[in-house]
Amino acid sequence: MKDIFKAPFIIEMSETTANMYRQGWDERNGGNISCLLDENEVAEYLDLNCVIRTIPTKFDAKKLAGKIFLVTGTGKYFKNVTKDPETNLGIVRISADGTMAELLWGYKDGGKFTSEFPAHMMSHIARLEVDPNHRVVAHSHPTYTIAMNTVCPADEKDFTHKLWQSNTECVIVFPDGVGVLPCMVCGTEEIGIATAEKMKSHRIVVWTNHGIYGTGKDLDEAFGLIETVEKTAQIYMLSLGHVVNVIPDKTIKGLADLWNLTIMEGVIDA
Ligand code: 13P
Ligand code: ZN
């Protein structure tokens, strides 16, 4: 068996959580990440017949039966993952009936996966249905995105438009727009279902007054989506009350045409 502490998926997860912490997006235990792993790759590091313990999923995860995920632990701090990945992360396999997560590695102190496990797993189901290469769901609390929620309506077309108008990269990076949920109780199956519904047509979902979900085929892609929204939210908040120029709809349309992108419907007039 190879040394799991040298596995690319553990190293990349450690680097990403540290990086998100350094951005100021993940105070205390804020944020959580889950990555769908390749079974053959995991088998190079772990005996897949050795289940340490089982943890109830508390929702129907049957569509993910047999799939293996690397998931941050609940209550764990992103800043601490690098120095102790085995306590702060876990590798779980969804049981055949979808009611249990079989712990294959990690959560060394007796811990368990993030409280947002339903939103993560349901989002994986939704994204895998539209993109077979999908692998990562990352949740974070970026400051300016949450600040934008306090001054903007919780309306996804309006929110997307404001971002597309504030930074020319936005329509290119997320032509599918940003899904927006109203402020809801987090950590529940209900918010998981609502998030997954948005994930059918968006790779980014904002939880009003709470944070953001970014998804993608790898950690870079999920991180990059969050980073682009957050940078643009910062531009929006810095210029609030002093706006002289926004990107006109015809330029947003021109950018989308140039890059041959299909954009979210109903956001621009052009
Ligand atoms: P966890 O510590 O359970 O991952 O929760 C953090 C969080 O961001 C809740 O939304
Ligand atoms: Zn959160």
Side-chain angles (χ1 to χ4, degrees):
M1 285 286 163
K2 292 191 194 168
D3 177 2
I4 192 155
F5 293 98
K6 297 200 173 114
F9 48 84
I10 298 291
I11 293 171
E12 232 192 306
M13 180 70 120
S14 303
E15 285 172 355
T16 303
T17 47
N19 198 4
M20 287 178 126
Y21 174 71
R22 275 196 302 271
Q23 301 287 334
W25 303 345
D26 296 281
E27 77 294 341
R28 201 176 181 274
N29 64 310
N32 24 77
I33 304 181
S34 59
C35 302
L36 174 58
L37 301 180
D38 177 67
E39 185 180 321
N40 293 327
E41 193 182 358
V42 181
E44 294 176 24
Y45 300 92
L46 296 174
D47 175 358
L48 299 183
N49 295 313
C50 179
V51 174
I52 300 167
R53 57 192 158 93
T54 54
I55 309 167
T57 55
K58 298 198 183 137
F59 68 96
D60 180 9
K62 210 179 336 192
K63 284 193 175 161
L64 297 171
K67 294 207 185 309
I68 300 174
F69 293 91
L70 174 62
V71 191
T72 54
T74 185
K76 299 297 189 259
Y77 295 22
F78 272 18
K79 74 181 178 68
N80 294 340
V81 174
T82 307
K83 66 180 176 209
D84 187 2
E86 199 174 358
T87 299
N88 294 290
L89 304 175
I91 295 179
V92 294
R93 178 175 54 207
I94 305 299
S95 66
D97 66 0
T99 64
M100 290 287 170
E102 300 164 347
L103 182 63
L104 301 174
W105 178 84
Y107 307 142
K108 201 173 70 174
D109 60 352
K112 60 179 274 191
F113 43 70
T114 172
S115 58
E116 306 296 1
F117 199 62
H120 278 256
M121 294 300 115
M122 290 178 198
S123 294
H124 281 292
I125 292 170
R127 290 308 308 164
L128 283 167
E129 274 169 15
V130 287
D131 176 9
N133 293 320
H134 160 86
R135 282 250 168 313
V136 173
V137 175
H139 167 60
S140 190
H141 299 167
T143 313
Y144 289 93
T145 304
I146 301 170
M148 227 180 127
N149 287 148
T150 66
V151 296
C152 297
D155 176 311
E156 60 200 13
K157 286 187 178 147
D158 182 68
F159 200 83
T160 298
H161 197 201
K162 286 184 163 72
L163 295 172
W164 286 0
Q165 283 180 316
S166 305
N167 172 358
T168 49
E169 290 309 295
C170 285
V171 72
I172 301 165
V173 174
F174 49 91
D176 45 342
V178 175
V180 176
L181 288 184
C183 190
M184 293 173 73
V185 177
C186 61
T188 61
E189 189 172 343
E190 194 189 9
I191 203 168
I193 292 167
T195 306
E197 190 55 38
K198 297 289 181 198
M199 289 289 182
K200 288 179 182 169
S201 41
H202 305 282
R203 292 165 299 146
I204 312 164
V205 175
V206 166
W207 284 2
T208 295
N209 305 127
H210 180 141
I212 190 166
Y213 274 75
T215 64
K217 66 176 186 323
D218 53 30
L219 282 161
D220 261 358
E221 206 171 83
F223 184 95
L225 287 174
I226 296 173
E227 188 178 33
T228 308
V229 170
E230 172 61 1
K231 185 198 171 85
T232 309
Q234 182 173 8
I235 293 167
Y236 183 88
M237 293 308 295
L238 287 172
S239 49
L240 197 62
H242 308 282
V243 176
V244 177
N245 289 306
V246 291
I247 302 164
D249 282 359
K250 69 172 171 25
T251 306
I252 294 172
K253 169 95 169 47
L255 286 162
D257 289 347
L258 182 67
W259 290 88
N260 218 0
L261 302 168
T262 306
I263 61 172
M264 181 180 174
E265 269 176 36
V267 176
I268 61 169
D269 286 332

